[in-house]
Amino acid sequence: MVSTPTRTTAARAAAGGATSGGASSAKSAGGRTAAPSARRPAVTPAARVRAWIRRFWSALEGTGKSRNGSTYYLILGSTLALTAIGIMMVLSASSVEAIAAGESPYSAALKQGLFAAIGVFAMFVLSRVNVVWLRRIAWGVMLLAIALLGLVLLVGRSTLGNQNWIDVGPFTFQPSEAAKLALALWMATVLDRKAKLLHEWRHAFIPVVFPGALAVLGLILAGNDLGTAMIVMIIVAAALFFAGVRLYLFGIAGAALAVGTMILAVTSPNRMCRILSWTGQTCADGSDLNYQSTNGLYGLASGGWFGVGLGQSRQKYSWIPEAHNDFIFAIIGEELGLVGTLVVLVLFAILGTAIYRVVVAQHDVFHRVLAGAIMVWLLGQASVNMAVVTGLAPVVGVPLPFISYGGSALLMSLCAIGVVLSLARAQMDPGMQPKKMFRFGPAAFANSVRRTRAARAAAKASSQSADRTRSKNSAPNPARKSPANPAKNPPSKNPAKNRTKA
């Protein structure tokens, strides 16, 4: 007696006999049922949250399919969008005061646009340069930045109590902005060379913190610019963090900086007045240094959801002094409303996320520290500026990157983005990398000359090969024998045919 083999539900479904409801149990020939399959365990809410966090973090870091050319173009697109918004808002915020001063309403916007054009060109040039080559100029750039900061104290121009500008013809240059990028590049170079020794505190602090960073901070504070000094401190902390310095050192350094900040605040009547005004108290002389922040809040409140319209701000009529500089975010909120401010926030979030992808993908200490310091510099400065405008922090003179008026800040920020674009471009597949961005210029001319020489050499080699082949074919071949019987091919009796054959 031969038994009939049983078939599973999947087999019967393939044969056309699927059971109703897709049940997993199958009956044998004897009528017995197989054991039911094990049920899938229930997914708890905590497990779902953990899975969502893992997916979100994977997408944030750009692992897997996300790590492609999108990072490069996210950085490029958000930077260009913020720069365009900045030029537009500088025109809107500065036109009224320019007309009141008897100047052209387009003067500030034209200067900002000129520096934006120079900065975008420098950004694209740096995006095509291998960042490793920048190590060679790190020490020279750092020494030049320190020399310029010292020159500011000698021949610099003082504005609103801060001495941090140098007049260069019709333009002004702020060396402290260039010092931020120079310090980031120099720290990345030094920390990369000392990567195996950073577990010791003296190698982590010397010479990065002392004397390098302290020299830059001392010269900036000598010019009474506490806001820029705060950003430099953030850059130094970011460089040490991404280099892998022990975390307990940050606690010690943070405590020392807190004590130093308190001493600087207490010893300066201007800074103490700003802190008292921020807390709602009155200064000793009765002045209100929180005047800008208060009117900035009025502008944000009057903007509503969609704003009063581009160019229709009321607070820029001298209610907010220097509205196109540090408090331009308040003008954005008034004219473009909450939607406009959210657009700016989203663009900064996209920029930060894309740069973070570049940072986490780096295995070399130099690349990771350089990209991480630039990321914290730009996002930290933007956060401080927005906190001041919205009243979350005392008034500190820090511009909004890419948007506030200031050629030096815009130029250096775009150069920093160019360095990050170079790292993002190196992560892309060779076939996806943007190459021919400029058709003209020294590099394009050199490539054209190189291609012309290569084409001429190839043409010369081809002609020489053809001449050798032709001479070889026209030479008589002694191995060729004459016909065995010439009588078989008698010459033609027609002279015309003989001449034709000849």
Side-chain angles (χ1 to χ4, degrees):
M1 184 174 180
V2 182
S3 61
T4 305
T6 60
R7 293 193 300 174
T8 62
T9 304
R12 287 202 302 270
T19 59
S20 60
S24 60
S25 61
K27 291 186 177 182
S28 63
R32 291 174 297 179
T33 57
S37 59
R39 293 183 178 180
R40 183 178 299 175
V43 180
T44 61
R48 292 178 181 176
V49 171
R50 287 194 297 269
W52 182 86
I53 292 175
R54 284 194 295 267
R55 290 195 300 268
F56 171 76
W57 201 258
S58 177
L60 182 65
E61 292 182 351
T63 55
K65 297 181 180 179
S66 299
R67 185 167 294 163
N68 48 27
S70 62
T71 300
Y72 178 92
Y73 292 106
L74 283 174
I75 298 173
L76 179 62
S78 58
T79 300
L80 295 179
L82 288 170
T83 305
I85 292 174
I87 296 174
M88 178 182 67
M89 295 311 303
V90 165
L91 174 62
S92 175
S94 64
S95 57
V96 173
E97 292 187 358
I99 294 174
E103 301 176 355
S104 171
Y106 305 102
S107 58
L110 289 176
K111 286 184 180 179
Q112 188 79 351
L114 176 61
F115 277 100
I118 298 174
V120 169
F121 178 80
M123 178 183 70
F124 281 120
V125 170
L126 288 173
S127 68
R128 300 302 187 271
V129 175
N130 191 346
V131 178
V132 178
W133 290 90
L134 297 178
R135 294 184 182 182
R136 302 182 178 182
I137 62 173
W139 282 89
V141 169
M142 182 64 177
L143 294 177
L144 179 61
I146 294 176
L148 290 176
L149 289 174
L151 188 63
V152 169
L153 301 178
L154 299 177
V155 298
R157 180 169 56 87
S158 178
T159 303
L160 299 176
N162 293 347
Q163 187 173 351
N164 49 9
W165 285 276
I166 296 178
D167 292 327
V168 183
F171 303 100
T172 58
F173 180 69
Q174 190 173 357
S176 57
E177 294 294 334
K180 297 175 184 177
L181 182 57
L183 183 62
L185 177 61
W186 177 76
M187 287 190 299
T189 304
V190 175
L191 291 173
D192 178 63
R193 293 181 179 178
K194 303 180 69 174
K196 297 181 179 179
L197 303 173
L198 293 179
H199 60 279
E200 301 180 16
W201 69 269
R202 60 178 180 273
H203 289 288
F205 283 174
I206 301 173
V208 172
V209 178
F210 179 82
L214 288 181
V216 175
L217 285 172
L219 291 172
I220 292 175
L221 289 174
N224 201 29
D225 191 357
L226 181 60
T228 303
M230 291 174 55
I231 303 303
V232 171
M233 294 178 191
I234 294 174
I235 295 173
V236 174
L240 295 174
F241 175 79
F242 287 108
V245 175
R246 299 285 181 87
L247 293 180
Y248 76 90
L249 296 177
F250 289 94
I252 299 174
L257 289 176
V259 173
T261 304
M262 291 177 60
I263 294 174
L264 290 174
V266 171
T267 56
S268 173
N270 181 273
R271 296 181 186 127
M272 280 301 300
C273 187
R274 291 188 182 190
I275 296 174
L276 291 175
S277 299
W278 176 61
T279 57
Q281 303 180 32
T282 305
C283 298
D285 56 357
S287 60
D288 183 15
L289 295 183
N290 209 39
Y291 177 80
Q292 279 182 305
S293 182
T294 302
N295 285 279
L297 291 176
Y298 289 159
L300 291 172
S302 61
W305 285 94
F306 301 102
V308 297
L310 186 62
Q312 304 300 317
S313 170
R314 300 175 182 87
Q315 297 297 323
K316 66 184 180 183
Y317 284 83
S318 299
W319 290 102
I320 301 179
E322 301 290 330
H324 57 291
N325 286 335
D326 300 342
F327 275 77
I328 197 169
F329 189 70
I331 306 300
I332 294 175
E334 184 182 5
E335 294 187 352
L336 304 180
L338 180 63
V339 174
T341 58
L342 290 179
V343 168
V344 174
L345 287 174
V346 168
L347 288 174
F348 273 111
I350 292 173
L351 179 64
T353 302
I355 299 180
Y356 177 75
R357 286 186 177 185
V358 176
V359 173
V360 298
Q362 304 302 323
H363 301 286
D364 185 72
V365 176
F366 173 77
H367 295 163
R368 185 172 63 252
V369 171
L370 182 58
I374 292 174
M375 177 186 70
V376 175
W377 160 22
L378 297 177
L379 296 184
Q381 186 168 317
S383 301
V384 171
N385 178 273
M386 295 177 187
V388 169
V389 174
T390 55
L392 298 177
V395 176
V396 179
V398 174
L400 186 61
F402 309 108
I403 297 180
S404 292
Y405 176 74
S408 302
L410 178 61
L411 180 61
M412 291 299 106
S413 299
L414 290 173
C415 289
I417 291 296
V419 174
V420 179
L421 284 176
S422 177
L423 296 174
R425 180 172 172 265
Q427 296 177 7
M428 300 168 61
D429 294 333
M432 300 176 61
Q433 294 180 0
K435 297 178 181 178
K436 297 181 180 179
M437 187 61 65
F438 303 107
R439 296 184 179 181
F440 306 100
F445 178 75
N447 291 332
S448 177
V449 172
R450 212 174 288 117
R451 287 194 298 267
T452 303
R453 289 180 178 176
R456 288 179 180 176
K460 185 176 181 180
S462 177
S463 62
Q464 291 177 354
S465 177
D467 292 341
R468 287 195 298 268
T469 304
R470 195 180 302 112
S471 61
K472 182 178 180 180
N473 293 336
S474 61
N477 191 357
R480 183 180 299 172
K481 296 181 180 180
S482 60
N485 189 3
K488 290 183 180 180
N489 296 318
S492 175
K493 297 180 180 181
N494 191 346
K497 292 183 178 181
N498 292 334
R499 284 196 299 271
T500 303
K501 292 181 179 180

